[in-house]
Amino acid sequence: MLLENLSYVEVEGYLSEKDIILIPIGSTEQHSPYGLIGTDFITAEAIAREVGKRMDILVAPTLPYGMSQHHMAFPGSVTLSPETFILVIKDLINSFLSHGFNRIVFINGHGGNINSVNVAFEQLKYEGRRGIFKLISWFLLPEIQEIEKALFGDKNGLHATPSEISITKYLRPKEFSTKAHVEKNIEKIETYWPLNKDEFKKVYPDGRMNSAPWLAKEKYGKLIMEEAVKIIEEEIRHILKMKIL
Ligand SMILES: [Zn+2]
């Protein structure tokens, strides 16, 4: 069920029975020559919408921009500053709270978003807001990391991973005819974090972070996405049982 397709009358009807909403968030940032710039929001959106469909739960429009400052040396990348991103997350939550949603779950596709989203949650609690604010980053689910290990060994890396590229390949196969395919060496580089955009490009010149995106396959994407949806469904069932204090 997509919020964008309902009328406010239908939202009122939904709120008489349920108080949960899923919000997909991601980023618009380079994913190496092998992957789509929209990878992070495309994966989060597809997973959230599938969960919403199976559980009859409302899914809000996707937030396609996130905190991506370290990717800004690559054209096409867009970033919100951490301050802006925190305020956007707070405004989204406050909007949904004001209508009676009490369980606000962000389905996240981008690691760079995590710190800011957690600061937004803490700030809202500091301001006295009631309710459950939850961040689920699909790529950090332990079950997903096990599958990645089985499929890609130590070549999944941290960015432009064959895992996320596989999901986008499954969802948008036609877009890959123009992307790189050639295998390269993976240099494991020890460095510090965070990096600014120039530091990032020095350490990771083609935008990958220790990953082998050429290993991505549609069938892996289908498998990983199905598993992420199943695990998140369980997590949502758990959230639905919790009492709002
Ligand atoms: Zn990504």
Side-chain angles (χ1 to χ4, degrees):
M1 224 189 313
L2 301 183
L3 178 65
E4 67 204 50
N5 292 335
L6 300 189
S7 71
Y8 75 83
V9 180
E10 291 171 299
V11 177
E12 272 171 359
Y14 176 87
L15 281 165
S16 67
E17 290 174 14
K18 290 177 183 165
D19 63 355
I20 188 165
I21 188 151
L22 308 183
I23 310 176
I25 59 171
S27 71
T28 297
E29 69 183 31
Q30 70 85 14
H31 272 74
S32 83
Y34 299 82
L36 314 184
I37 282 179
T39 298
D40 291 349
F41 78 80
I42 293 168
T43 55
E45 178 176 272
I47 292 168
R49 288 184 174 192
E50 188 58 30
V51 172
K53 196 165 103 187
R54 292 187 193 183
M55 301 188 78
D56 221 10
I57 281 174
L58 210 46
V59 181
T62 305
L63 179 63
Y65 301 112
M67 214 304 288
S68 303
Q69 67 78 19
H70 46 291
H71 293 291
M72 291 305 289
F74 297 89
S77 301
V78 175
T79 190
L80 302 177
S81 69
E83 297 94 315
T84 305
F85 190 52
I86 291 164
L87 291 174
V88 169
I89 297 292
K90 284 184 67 186
D91 285 353
L92 292 177
I93 294 176
N94 277 327
S95 300
F96 287 114
L97 287 177
S98 78
H99 301 306
F101 291 92
N102 294 315
R103 296 161 216 267
I104 296 163
V105 181
F106 290 84
I107 307 297
N108 178 38
H110 174 49
N113 290 346
I114 294 170
N115 288 344
S116 303
V117 173
N118 283 324
V119 171
F121 290 176
E122 287 286 1
Q123 188 65 36
L124 287 164
K125 287 297 172 184
Y126 174 77
E127 291 164 12
R129 296 292 183 279
R130 288 175 69 225
I132 299 173
F133 314 144
K134 178 83 183 167
L135 176 66
I136 301 176
S137 300
W138 69 264
F139 51 94
L140 293 182
L141 298 169
E143 296 88 341
I144 294 297
Q145 293 188 335
E146 266 177 45
I147 296 176
E148 290 170 345
K149 209 170 178 190
L151 291 175
F152 312 119
D154 62 351
K155 292 183 175 164
N156 198 53
L158 295 166
H159 181 68
T161 68
S163 176
E164 60 181 348
I165 305 299
S166 291
I167 296 180
T168 50
K169 227 171 185 174
Y170 166 58
L171 295 168
R172 301 193 182 185
K174 284 187 193 144
E175 304 304 333
F176 284 84
S177 62
T178 53
K179 305 298 178 287
H181 298 98
V182 188
E183 208 166 305
K184 283 191 183 171
N185 285 333
I186 302 180
E187 290 173 61
K188 297 261 172 188
I189 306 139
E190 291 279 321
T191 187
Y192 53 90
W193 192 264
L195 302 170
N196 76 22
K197 64 185 170 80
D198 300 320
E199 292 172 317
F200 185 97
K201 200 167 184 180
K202 271 184 205 160
V203 188
Y204 305 111
D206 77 350
R208 291 175 298 126
M209 293 171 76
N210 304 336
S211 64
W214 50 85
L215 299 176
K217 284 194 165 67
E218 280 178 48
K219 63 174 183 183
Y220 299 154
K222 186 172 190 282
L223 178 86
I224 294 164
M225 186 173 148
E226 176 60 33
E227 188 65 17
V229 167
K230 265 201 310 206
I231 298 157
I232 294 171
E233 271 187 89
E234 271 170 47
E235 182 73 35
I236 301 287
R237 260 182 232 113
H238 186 63
I239 291 169
L240 286 170
K241 278 189 209 142
M242 283 181 191
K243 195 172 175 295
I244 305 295
L245 303 169

